[in-house]
Amino acid sequence: MGERIAVFSDVHGNTTALEAVYQDSIKQKVDKYWFLGDLFSPGPGAQDLWDLFKQINPEICIRGNWDDLFLNALRGVVDTDRTSLVYISKLAQTLSERLDANEVTSTIKKWPIREETRVRDIRVGLTHNLPDLNYGQALYPTEKQRNFNELFDGNQNLDLAIYAHVHHPLMRYSSDEQFVLNPGSVGQPFFAWDKFQKDMRAEYLILEIDEYGIQETSFRKVYYNRDLEYKRAEMANLPYLDIYKLQLVTGKVHTHDHELMKKINDERGYLKDVIKFNEKVRKKDKEKSK
């Protein structure tokens, strides 16, 4: 028997989906966990999600772009002229009221955006996106081969690169035929092809490595109760609740639908809330520095 590793990412606040993945991983007898970023938002998961995450206790944690955005939002340093950042900031503001924000932020700050490890004789690079950039669409599955070569960053010592961020399960190779994997998304599976988008089961990857090499790559899809997840969002009085419901029903996200987000932010006073919150945080930080 080799080492069995559950690799998961892009939970995006969906506690119900992560619960299902965790229970499935126990049945699959995994030995340890690797997390590749984006734990919170836009779903309602807060202290309940953090407590579950600590129970899972990943051996390696990578900091994703939404993790950075969460940290920046709580520091009050986001650009309120960008509707998507107002959206993320309003979510982060209310999220911080429902968890131990000091513990969470101090922990996430320590997560790197890249990590290298070794399992048996297989050398693995772990990132959220590119090794030096945890955002952007350079590694969307239909992008150019040379982009995926960048996962190895000229490092011929790596045998395998695993990244996240694009919410697509993926298996391919570098130009030198080093192995590339993506576990998909726990909380926000995405496909442009409509038939596949209808399948919104939670996604993760089981990787087994034995004395001969990579023995198994198992892309898991796990059913979870989306009605329960929506009820949790209702109970949390989640901002943008209607947008989250639409995501749970259709799989479509609206983070970058600037016209819709501007309309919602203006009508519901979210822009004013975020500006006020930012001013309050900056004033508090300024007083501390005196």
Side-chain angles (χ1 to χ4, degrees), residues 230 233-234 238 240-251:
Y230 179 67
E234 279 188 311
L238 183 72
Y240 308 95
L241 179 63
D242 48 346
I243 298 298
Y244 191 57
K245 182 177 183 179
L246 195 60
Q247 177 197 309
L248 290 173
V249 172
T250 67

Side-chain angles (χ1 to χ4, degrees), residues 12 16 54 96 103 124 132 138 147 163 168 190 211 251 275:
H12 284 289
T16 315
K54 289 194 294 183
S96 68
E103 179 192 5
V124 187
D132 58 354
N147 294 7
Y163 76 104
H168 284 66
F190 174 76
E211 68 260 41
I275 291 172

Side-chain angles (χ1 to χ4, degrees), residues 182-197:
N182 190 306
S185 170
V186 171
Q188 279 187 353
F190 174 76
F191 286 94
W193 194 256
D194 287 342
K195 188 173 288 186
F196 293 148
Q197 182 63 79

Side-chain angles (χ1 to χ4, degrees), residues 175-234:
S175 294
D176 292 325
E177 297 197 9
Q178 296 149 298
F179 211 13
V180 178
L181 294 169
N182 190 306
S185 170
V186 171
Q188 279 187 353
F190 174 76
F191 286 94
W193 194 256
D194 287 342
K195 188 173 288 186
F196 293 148
Q197 182 63 79
K198 291 176 183 177
D199 181 357
M200 290 184 287
R201 288 174 291 180
E203 301 166 340
Y204 78 107
L205 168 70
I206 293 178
L207 176 69
E208 183 171 336
I209 299 175
D210 62 18
E211 68 260 41
Y212 301 107
I214 298 173
Q215 198 278 334
E216 177 186 349
T217 51
S218 176
F219 291 96
R220 305 285 300 171
K221 283 178 174 277
V222 186
Y223 170 81
Y224 73 94
N225 188 331
R226 283 179 284 161
D227 290 335
L228 172 59
E229 175 63 13
Y230 179 67
K231 287 178 183 176
R232 285 175 161 172
E234 279 188 311

Side-chain angles (χ1 to χ4, degrees), residues 250-286:
T250 67
K252 304 294 185 184
V253 296
H254 296 82
T255 311
H256 301 292
D257 186 337
H258 302 296
E259 186 176 337
L260 176 62
M261 284 299 159
K262 184 179 186 309
K263 183 174 183 291
I264 291 173
N265 291 336
D266 290 344
E267 288 181 351
R268 301 179 189 176
Y270 292 161
L271 175 59
K272 292 179 180 178
D273 290 346
V274 169
I275 291 172
K276 185 177 179 181
F277 178 79
N278 289 352
E279 290 172 349
K280 179 180 177 182
V281 171
R282 289 196 293 266
K283 182 179 179 182
K284 188 175 180 180
D285 287 344
K286 188 175 181 180

Side-chain angles (χ1 to χ4, degrees), residues 59-197:
E59 177 188 69
I60 294 173
C61 293
I62 301 296
R63 196 176 75 250
N65 61 311
W66 276 67
D67 302 317
D68 276 338
L69 289 167
F70 170 68
L71 295 176
N72 289 338
L74 294 193
R75 290 172 53 222
V77 293
V78 297
D79 182 359
T80 52
D81 289 332
R82 295 177 59 184
T83 57
S84 59
L85 293 184
V86 173
Y87 169 61
I88 291 167
S89 296
K90 178 60 182 176
L91 289 167
Q93 175 189 337
T94 55
L95 171 62
S96 68
E97 298 165 358
R98 298 172 42 242
L99 49 68
D100 185 341
N102 288 332
E103 179 192 5
V104 173
T105 56
S106 63
T107 301
I108 293 177
K109 282 177 185 177
K110 297 174 185 175
W111 295 349
I113 67 167
R114 67 185 295 178
E115 187 72 81
E116 293 182 11
T117 189
R118 183 172 183 148
V119 182
R120 304 289 177 95
D121 196 38
I122 301 298
R123 293 152 298 187
V124 187
L126 301 168
T127 60
H128 184 69
N129 188 47
L130 290 166
D132 58 354
L133 191 71
N134 65 1
Y135 60 91
Q137 293 299 304
L139 298 179
Y140 194 78
T142 55
E143 283 296 330
K144 300 175 181 66
Q145 176 66 47
R146 66 172 178 266
N147 294 7
F148 293 88
N149 294 343
E150 290 183 32
L151 281 165
F152 300 92
D153 198 25
N155 187 348
Q156 294 304 308
N157 292 320
L158 290 181
D159 305 298
L160 165 65
I162 311 178
Y163 76 104
H165 185 58
V166 296
H167 299 207
H168 284 66
L170 176 144
M171 180 176 70
R172 62 179 294 160
Y173 298 90
S174 74
S175 294
D176 292 325
E177 297 197 9
Q178 296 149 298
F179 211 13
V180 178
L181 294 169
N182 190 306
S185 170
V186 171
Q188 279 187 353
F190 174 76
F191 286 94
W193 194 256
D194 287 342
K195 188 173 288 186
F196 293 148
Q197 182 63 79

